[in-house]
Amino acid sequence: MRVFRKLEADKVVQTCERIKTKINKMFPDSSLADLADELIELTKEAEQTNKELKKSQRPLKLVAIGILLLIVSTLALWLLSLGIDFKINNIAELAQGLDAAKNDAICVALAAYFIMRWESRWKLKKVRRKVHGLRIVAHIIDMHQINKDPECPKLTVDDTYRTLNHYELKKYLWYCRELFGIISKIGALYVQEFEEQEARDAVNSLEELTNGLSLKADRKMTIVEQLKHQNKGNKEDKEQGRKKMHRLIKRKSYIKANSQARKQYT
């Protein structure tokens, strides 16, 4: 039985490829399909980055351990060079010595903590840079839907404009929403096994951004649906007015013909 407890990059790629196919079918040569291609590459890049994050960065660890040993040895040699008498005669001298050593111990511990976290910070910096790239792509997708006016939507292809009907505009906005969803899933890939809180915060911020942009597309889709029903009502009103006018014309023609007939036989 398959266990659904892990987000798989290849499944994200397959989903993005299906979205790209639908976009190409509905809007040939649209740059929205190119963005779907870009998301496919970003998903593969995320998978490769996760493999790198799992590996232990031995050079960084060796450098950190070397610097730590250098600090400790330098401190020990410095204390020895002072010719300090470590003989303790009473409790007061012991307390004084411990108090003096406490600050040095805290400084060494902080330095050790800072140095030993080099690897984690290096990985965190890499993840945050990748997530920032995803934020930029999300804004680029938003630029594709932000200029689609529900009352007069136009699609630009090779510097030419094509007017979209209500159905096409709703589909275009829906595909934008799907791409926003793919971006949030790519972000989730980075923190699936990398459990740094700062990385998770960055991905959560990315998800809030994509959700907000999706809501903008949803509002436009609602406006499009309202305009569609409004136009449908206007067409029905026009049709009823046309039928009413046609009946009036027929009635006037009948009255006129009847009047002429009467004049002919009187």
Side-chain angles (χ1 to χ4, degrees):
M1 182 178 176
R2 188 177 177 185
V3 180
F4 295 93
R5 296 184 181 178
K6 183 178 179 181
L7 188 61
E8 300 177 4
D10 57 339
K11 301 298 181 184
V12 179
V13 169
Q14 291 175 12
T15 303
C16 197
E17 286 176 343
R18 286 196 292 269
I19 295 172
K20 177 191 170 184
T21 301
K22 291 188 292 184
I23 294 173
N24 279 327
K25 184 177 179 181
M26 192 79 183
F27 307 104
D29 302 322
S30 171
S31 56
L32 200 62
D34 297 333
L35 283 168
D37 256 336
E38 182 68 19
L39 291 181
I40 292 172
E41 294 302 319
L42 288 173
T43 306
K44 295 177 180 177
E45 187 178 314
E47 185 178 18
Q48 182 62 32
T49 302
N50 282 338
K51 291 179 181 178
E52 295 175 2
L53 294 176
K54 290 178 183 178
K55 295 179 182 178
S56 178
Q57 301 297 320
R58 290 185 178 179
L60 279 176
K61 284 186 175 181
L62 291 175
V63 171
I65 293 172
I67 293 175
L68 187 60
L69 291 175
L70 181 63
I71 292 173
V72 173
S73 59
T74 302
L75 182 61
L77 290 173
W78 177 68
L79 290 174
L80 291 174
S81 66
L82 294 177
I84 299 174
D85 185 9
F86 292 97
K87 185 178 179 181
I88 300 173
N89 297 320
N90 51 52
I91 296 177
E93 290 182 358
L94 176 61
Q96 185 178 1
L98 290 175
D99 185 61
K102 180 179 66 175
N103 295 330
D104 294 335
I106 291 174
C107 291
V108 172
L110 290 174
Y113 176 79
F114 178 80
I115 293 171
M116 295 307 294
R117 279 187 54 83
W118 272 0
E119 181 181 7
S120 296
R121 286 199 305 275
W122 177 81
K123 292 180 178 180
L124 176 61
K125 184 178 180 181
K126 192 167 190 175
V127 170
R128 292 179 69 176
R129 186 168 62 248
K130 299 292 185 181
V131 172
H132 180 68
L134 291 173
R135 293 177 68 91
I136 293 173
V137 176
H139 283 294
I140 293 173
I141 295 174
D142 184 52
M143 286 299 297
H144 279 70
Q145 67 89 15
I146 202 170
N147 62 349
K148 299 297 182 292
D149 185 359
E151 295 184 358
C152 186
K154 292 184 178 181
L155 180 66
T156 306
V157 179
D158 296 332
D159 296 329
T160 59
Y161 290 92
R162 177 168 72 87
T163 302
L164 303 177
N165 57 37
H166 290 118
Y167 174 76
E168 290 173 332
L169 179 58
K170 282 185 67 177
K171 280 292 185 181
Y172 193 92
L173 295 172
W174 182 261
Y175 295 147
C176 288
R177 290 184 73 257
E178 289 183 333
L179 293 181
F180 289 138
I182 292 293
I183 288 176
S184 65
K185 298 301 174 288
I186 298 173
L189 286 173
Y190 284 112
V191 294
Q192 186 169 230
E193 297 181 10
F194 185 62
E195 299 182 354
E196 286 287 336
Q197 186 59 42
E198 290 185 34
R200 292 188 175 187
D201 290 341
V203 172
N204 289 338
S205 176
L206 172 67
E207 190 168 355
E208 289 176 2
L209 171 67
T210 54
N211 287 340
L213 297 178
S214 295
L215 287 174
K216 286 171 62 178
D218 280 341
R219 285 194 289 268
K220 276 195 176 182
M221 291 170 66
T222 302
I223 294 173
V224 170
E225 192 66 26
Q226 291 173 351
L227 289 174
K228 180 181 177 181
H229 289 300
Q230 182 180 345
N231 291 340
K232 184 177 179 181
N234 291 339
K235 287 181 180 178
E236 291 177 353
D237 292 341
K238 288 180 180 179
E239 183 65 21
Q240 290 177 359
R242 189 184 64 81
K243 289 181 178 179
K244 186 176 181 180
M245 183 63 68
H246 184 65
R247 287 196 298 268
L248 288 173
I249 292 173
K250 287 180 67 176
R251 185 176 179 184
K252 287 181 179 180
S253 299
Y254 173 77
I255 293 172
K256 185 178 180 180
N258 194 16
S259 175
Q260 289 177 354
R262 286 179 180 179
K263 288 180 181 180
Q264 184 177 358
Y265 292 101
T266 55

